[in-house]
Structures are given as structure tokens and as C-alpha cells.
Amino acid sequence: MMSSLRLEKLTPDNVEAACGLKVRPEQEKFVEPVANSLAEAYVLPDVAWPRLILDGEEVVGFVMAFLDIRFSPEDPEGVLRSGLWRLNVVAGRQRGGYGRFAVEAVCEEIRRRGRKRAYVTWEPGGDGPEAFYLKLGFRPTGETSGGQTVGVREL
């Protein structure tokens, strides 16, 4: 199965499939709809890296990285960070390794660009993605962003 997984750029031919992706109802409070992510990617083209997750020809998810942005205006050092911005895996295809594949692909892209760390934020809460990110090697930094926990993974 894993050999058929790939990321694909968004195009006029696949944007409708991307916008139609749905997570499980109880997860909707933890993720943005893909259409919102694509709107952000449109207005931030220099930092957004949106991709579809495909298994063969089937769209099974969406991932978007942020590349080389300043974490916070209050950051005195102006350190650039890159990381996972959004991850949506179709409700019926979760727990199939797609999320892990997407996170690893984002980390590889960040590494390819010369960065040594990948960041992610998540909503705290029992039904949230914290356990998933911890399992993939992210560790809380002690920071928060918009009420979300900030995690980092050494690459």
C-alpha cells in the first residue's frame, strides 16, 4: 500500500476533490476545511505548501506546510520556522498511515530546504491530535499559538 502513496500539487483538475474532503464529525473542531486552507495558501503563496495526499488515484487527504515564516511578531530574534500547518485525512481512510506519510513528506521537504526542525500546533483536548503528533516525534515547546500547543521535531 505505502508504495502507492504520493503528494500532488493542487490544480484546476483536482481542487474540487480537495474541497470535498471531510474528516470525522467529531474532528471538525480541530481542523479547518480544505477550502479555508486553500484561501490562506492563495494569499500567502510564498510560505504555503499545499498538497493532496493520494493513494493510487484516490484522494485520501490534504496537507499544507508553512515554510520559512517568523513564528511571532514578538519573537525578538526573528527566527524563521517551517512546519506542518494543516492535515486532513478523509474520515473513512484514517488509521491507514496516510497522516504519518504526509507528516514525513512535509518533514522531508523542510529538511530538503536546509532546516533542522519542523513545527506543528494542535488543539489541546482528549479527542485532538496530540497523541498522533507525539507518536511522530514532536515535543511541546512550552509555547502556545492562538491557544494551541506548539510542538517541535528535530530533523
Side-chain angles (χ1 to χ4, degrees):
M1 174 192 89
M2 295 309 258
S3 64
S4 66
L5 294 182
R6 69 182 191 285
L7 296 185
E8 188 172 291
K9 289 182 180 181
L10 277 286
T11 68
D13 293 331
N14 63 25
V15 71
E16 191 173 327
C19 290
L21 294 175
K22 301 285 185 215
V23 297
R24 294 192 327 248
E26 68 272 15
Q27 296 171 324
E28 290 175 358
K29 64 184 174 188
F30 297 112
V31 297
E32 289 289 328
V34 173
N36 292 14
S37 297
L38 293 179
E40 289 174 317
Y42 178 79
V43 299
L44 297 167
D46 295 335
V47 298
W49 193 77
R51 298 292 187 271
L52 284 178
I53 308 164
L54 281 90
D55 185 356
E57 297 305 312
E58 181 185 0
V59 176
V60 296
F62 171 82
V63 65
M64 186 162 76
F66 62 90
L67 302 169
D68 296 338
I69 64 171
R70 187 169 357 153
F71 178 67
S72 166
E74 297 84 34
D75 185 352
E77 298 175 25
V79 176
L80 296 178
R81 295 186 182 187
S82 298
L84 182 70
W85 192 354
R86 300 282 165 67
L87 178 61
N88 304 55
V89 176
V90 173
R93 300 305 297 263
Q94 293 179 7
R95 300 201 177 272
Y98 304 113
R100 175 183 292 273
F101 168 79
V103 170
E104 295 301 336
V106 165
C107 287
E108 182 54 37
E109 179 64 20
I110 292 168
R111 188 180 300 112
R112 187 186 71 73
R113 292 170 181 250
R115 300 292 177 209
K116 305 227 184 288
R117 290 179 192 89
Y119 291 85
V120 67
T121 61
W122 62 81
E123 286 285 337
D127 294 333
E130 180 175 36
F132 171 74
Y133 290 124
L134 294 176
K135 186 175 170 183
L136 293 179
F138 288 92
R139 296 292 170 247
T141 64
E143 301 166 293
T144 59
S145 176
Q148 296 186 337
T149 301
V150 177
V152 66
R153 174 177 155 179
E154 299 296 324
L155 301 176

